[in-house]
Amino acid sequence: VNCFLTVRVISSLSLSPIESVFLKSRLNDIRDQTREEVWSVSFPPNPCIIFHGAGGPDQFTNELEQAIPGSVVWDWTRHRGSIATAAYDGEAVGEAIAETLKEAGVES
Protein backbone atom coordinates (compact mmCIF):
# COMPACT_ATOMS: atom_id res chain seq x y z
CA VAL A 1 0.00 0.00 0.00
CA ASN A 2 1.41 3.36 -0.99
CA CYS A 3 0.64 6.49 0.95
CA PHE A 4 1.47 9.92 -0.39
CA LEU A 5 2.07 13.18 1.45
CA THR A 6 0.98 16.08 -0.71
CA VAL A 7 2.62 19.33 0.25
CA ARG A 8 1.41 22.64 -1.04
CA VAL A 9 3.89 25.46 -0.64
CA ILE A 10 1.22 28.15 -0.59
CA SER A 11 -1.86 27.82 1.56
CA SER A 12 -4.71 26.90 -0.69
CA LEU A 13 -7.73 27.42 1.47
CA SER A 14 -10.06 29.04 -0.99
CA LEU A 15 -12.21 31.23 1.17
CA SER A 16 -14.76 33.61 -0.25
CA PRO A 17 -14.54 37.18 1.08
CA ILE A 18 -17.40 36.47 3.50
CA GLU A 19 -15.89 33.18 4.69
CA SER A 20 -12.56 34.93 5.13
CA VAL A 21 -14.12 37.50 7.46
CA PHE A 22 -15.65 34.80 9.64
CA LEU A 23 -13.08 32.00 9.44
CA LYS A 24 -9.60 33.34 8.69
CA SER A 25 -8.62 34.10 12.30
CA ARG A 26 -9.96 30.75 13.52
CA LEU A 27 -8.17 28.81 10.78
CA ASN A 28 -4.89 30.64 11.43
CA ASP A 29 -5.19 29.68 15.12
CA ILE A 30 -5.80 26.04 14.13
CA ARG A 31 -2.74 26.09 11.85
CA ASP A 32 -0.54 27.60 14.57
CA GLN A 33 -1.70 25.10 17.19
CA THR A 34 -1.29 22.18 14.81
CA ARG A 35 2.25 23.25 13.86
CA GLU A 36 3.18 23.25 17.57
CA GLU A 37 1.65 19.79 17.98
CA VAL A 38 3.56 18.40 14.99
CA TRP A 39 6.92 19.39 16.49
CA SER A 40 6.09 17.34 19.61
CA VAL A 41 5.48 14.10 17.66
CA SER A 42 8.15 11.67 16.56
CA PHE A 43 7.15 10.47 13.10
CA PRO A 44 8.52 7.28 11.55
CA PRO A 45 10.56 7.59 8.35
CA ASN A 46 8.33 8.18 5.32
CA PRO A 47 5.18 8.56 7.41
CA CYS A 48 1.70 7.91 6.15
CA ILE A 49 -0.64 10.23 8.02
CA ILE A 50 -4.26 9.13 8.21
CA PHE A 51 -6.88 11.82 8.78
CA HIS A 52 -10.17 10.62 10.17
CA GLY A 53 -13.50 12.10 9.19
CA ALA A 54 -15.31 14.80 11.12
CA GLY A 55 -16.74 12.19 13.49
CA GLY A 56 -13.32 11.33 14.90
CA PRO A 57 -11.14 8.22 14.83
CA ASP A 58 -13.03 4.95 14.50
CA GLN A 59 -12.47 1.27 13.80
CA PHE A 60 -11.66 1.99 10.16
CA THR A 61 -8.90 4.46 10.91
CA ASN A 62 -7.52 1.98 13.45
CA GLU A 63 -7.59 -0.80 10.84
CA LEU A 64 -5.76 1.42 8.35
CA GLU A 65 -3.13 2.32 10.92
CA GLN A 66 -2.51 -1.35 11.67
CA ALA A 67 -2.44 -2.32 7.98
CA ILE A 68 -0.08 0.40 6.70
CA PRO A 69 3.50 0.30 8.02
CA GLY A 70 4.74 3.67 9.24
CA SER A 71 1.26 5.15 9.49
CA VAL A 72 -0.06 7.49 12.15
CA VAL A 73 -3.70 8.47 12.74
CA TRP A 74 -3.77 12.20 13.37
CA ASP A 75 -6.61 13.04 15.73
CA TRP A 76 -7.75 16.55 14.86
CA THR A 77 -11.05 16.51 16.76
CA ARG A 78 -9.84 19.17 19.20
CA HIS A 79 -9.73 21.60 16.27
CA ARG A 80 -13.09 20.67 14.81
CA GLY A 81 -15.75 23.29 15.21
CA SER A 82 -19.28 22.91 13.96
CA ILE A 83 -20.44 20.84 11.03
CA ALA A 84 -20.36 24.08 9.03
CA THR A 85 -16.62 24.58 9.63
CA ALA A 86 -15.39 20.97 9.83
CA ALA A 87 -14.16 20.84 6.23
CA TYR A 88 -12.22 24.09 6.62
CA ASP A 89 -10.87 23.00 10.00
CA GLY A 90 -9.64 19.67 8.64
CA GLU A 91 -8.02 21.33 5.64
CA ALA A 92 -6.20 23.80 7.89
CA VAL A 93 -4.88 20.92 10.02
CA GLY A 94 -3.72 18.95 7.00
CA GLU A 95 -1.97 21.92 5.43
CA ALA A 96 -0.21 22.80 8.69
CA ILE A 97 1.06 19.24 9.11
CA ALA A 98 2.28 19.04 5.52
CA GLU A 99 4.03 22.40 5.68
CA THR A 100 5.68 21.61 9.02
CA LEU A 101 6.91 18.19 7.89
CA LYS A 102 8.25 19.70 4.70
CA GLU A 103 10.14 22.35 6.69
CA ALA A 104 11.53 19.59 8.92
CA GLY A 105 12.78 17.69 5.87
CA VAL A 106 10.55 14.68 6.39
CA GLU A 107 10.36 12.74 3.14
CA SER A 108 7.17 11.20 1.85
Side-chain angles (χ1 to χ4, degrees), residues 1-8 43-51 64 68-72 94-95 97-99 101-102 106-108:
V1 175
N2 290 325
C3 190
F4 301 96
L5 173 67
T6 302
V7 178
R8 291 176 268 193
F43 288 95
N46 302 314
C48 174
I49 302 170
I50 300 167
F51 295 92
L64 277 173
I68 302 171
S71 65
V72 176
E95 284 186 355
I97 292 171
E99 291 165 1
L101 292 178
K102 182 177 181 188
V106 174
E107 296 292 323
S108 62

Side-chain angles (χ1 to χ4, degrees), residues 19 37 41-42 45 48 77:
E19 291 168 332
E37 293 165 7
V41 174
S42 176
C48 174
T77 54

Side-chain angles (χ1 to χ4, degrees), residues 14-62:
S14 53
L15 301 175
S16 73
I18 293 173
E19 291 168 332
S20 185
V21 167
F22 290 105
L23 296 174
K24 191 171 184 175
S25 174
R26 169 185 170 68
L27 297 177
N28 285 337
D29 288 345
I30 289 172
R31 277 196 203 99
D32 292 343
Q33 292 168 11
T34 299
R35 290 174 66 80
E36 288 178 24
E37 293 165 7
V38 170
W39 288 113
S40 68
V41 174
S42 176
F43 288 95
N46 302 314
C48 174
I49 302 170
I50 300 167
F51 295 92
H52 57 75
D58 57 22
Q59 74 183 53
F60 301 112
T61 53
N62 294 339

